Amino acid sequence: GVLRMASASVVTVFAVAVLGGVTVKLGNAPWTVVAHWTLAMMLLGMLAAAVVRTGAMGGAGARAQQAPRTFVRSAYLAAGAAFLTVAMGGLTANFPFAAVACTTFPFCGPNPDAPASAVHIQLTHRTIAILLALYLVWLAATAGRHLTGPTIKRALHVAVALVLLQIVIAASMVLLHMPPELRSLHEATGVAIWLATFTLAYLARIAAGLGPLGEGRPALSPTPSPRAGGATRPMVEVGS
C-alpha cells in the first residue's frame, strides 16, 4: 500500500507542476490558482496517507486501538469540510476584492468598494470555516469518549486546537487590515487543518478495521494447539 500511494504522489507532483505553469501562463486567473491550490492539497493528503501506511504519524498505534465506524464517517465529513474551506480560502485570496470584502469580524461589515460577488465569496468561506470549527468541537465532546487509546484522541484534539487557532488568526488578520505575515500564517494554518483532519479520518479508518487495502488490524493467524496434538486453532486477536 505504501508504494502505490507514493507512486500516485509522484504522478501528482508532475500534475501540480504542469498546472502551475498553466496558472502563470494565464496570468494567475483565480480559477487556475484555486485548481492549483486544491491539487496541491490532494498531493499533501496522498503523502500523509503514505506516511500513515508506513506506521508513522500514529499509523502503528491506530492498529492496536478501536474506533466506531460512525466516527470514521464523521471524521471524513470533517476532512471534506476542511478541504472545501481551504479551497474557498484560495478563491477568497485570489478573487478581486474578496480578501478585503469584509472589514469586521465575526460579522461582515462590507467594504463599499467590493462588489457583491466578492462579499458572498468571503461570507461563504467564513461560514464553512465556522461550521467546521463547531463540528470538530462537537465531535470531540460527544464522540471522543467512544475512542480507545491515545492516538486518535490526540489527532482529534490537534484538529480542534488548529481550527480554534485559525479563527483567532482570521479575526486578527481582518481587524489589523490584512498584514502579510498574518495572511501567510492564515494560509499555513489552513493547510495544517486539512492535514490534521485527513490524518484523523485515516487513522480512524484503520482503527475501525477498514485500513489500507481492507486490512485494518493484522489478520488472524493459526497457532498450534497443545490439546489437539499440533492441530491449529485461530489465535484470538489482542483487544477483541
Side-chain angles (χ1 to χ4, degrees):
V2 177
L3 179 59
R4 183 176 301 176
M5 189 59 67
S7 300
S9 301
V10 172
V11 174
T12 308
V13 166
F14 287 102
V16 170
V18 171
L19 186 54
V22 173
T23 300
V24 174
K25 188 70 174 179
L26 296 179
N28 292 326
W31 71 269
T32 58
V33 174
V34 173
H36 185 245
W37 181 245
T38 53
L39 189 60
M41 294 302 99
M42 292 175 61
L43 171 61
L44 289 177
M46 291 178 182
L47 292 173
V51 172
V52 169
R53 289 184 180 190
T54 68
M57 289 177 61
R63 290 180 177 271
Q65 299 169 23
Q66 293 180 347
R69 296 193 179 190
T70 54
F71 181 81
V72 178
R73 292 192 290 268
S74 298
Y76 270 115
L77 179 60
F83 188 88
L84 183 59
T85 303
V86 171
M88 285 302 303
L91 181 61
T92 302
N94 291 279
F95 191 87
F97 288 99
V100 294
C102 296
T103 59
T104 59
F105 189 93
F107 301 105
C108 180
N111 185 342
D113 296 327
S117 57
V119 176
H120 292 157
I121 288 174
Q122 183 166 146
L123 281 177
T124 301
H125 174 57
R126 286 190 182 193
T127 300
I128 300 173
I130 292 175
L131 289 176
L132 172 62
L134 294 175
Y135 184 71
L136 282 173
V137 170
W138 172 82
L139 197 61
T142 59
R145 62 178 179 270
H146 299 298
L147 303 174
T148 63
T151 300
I152 302 175
K153 288 182 179 180
R154 187 184 304 117
L156 178 58
H157 294 159
V158 168
V160 171
L162 284 173
V163 77
L164 294 178
L165 174 64
Q166 182 74 313
I167 292 176
V168 174
I169 295 173
S172 302
M173 185 175 63
V174 172
L175 297 177
L176 295 177
H177 307 292
M178 309 293 288
E181 297 82 4
L182 284 181
R183 294 179 69 176
S184 298
L185 182 60
H186 183 66
E187 294 173 355
T189 307
V191 174
I193 292 171
W194 153 241
L195 283 177
T197 53
F198 176 80
T199 303
L200 168 65
Y202 206 79
L203 292 174
R205 175 183 175 85
I206 293 174
L210 302 171
L213 305 179
E215 287 185 71
R217 290 182 291 275
L220 302 180
S221 58
T223 183
S225 172
R227 293 175 298 176
T232 61
R233 60 179 176 87
M235 179 170 56
V236 179
E237 186 179 1
V238 175
S240 61

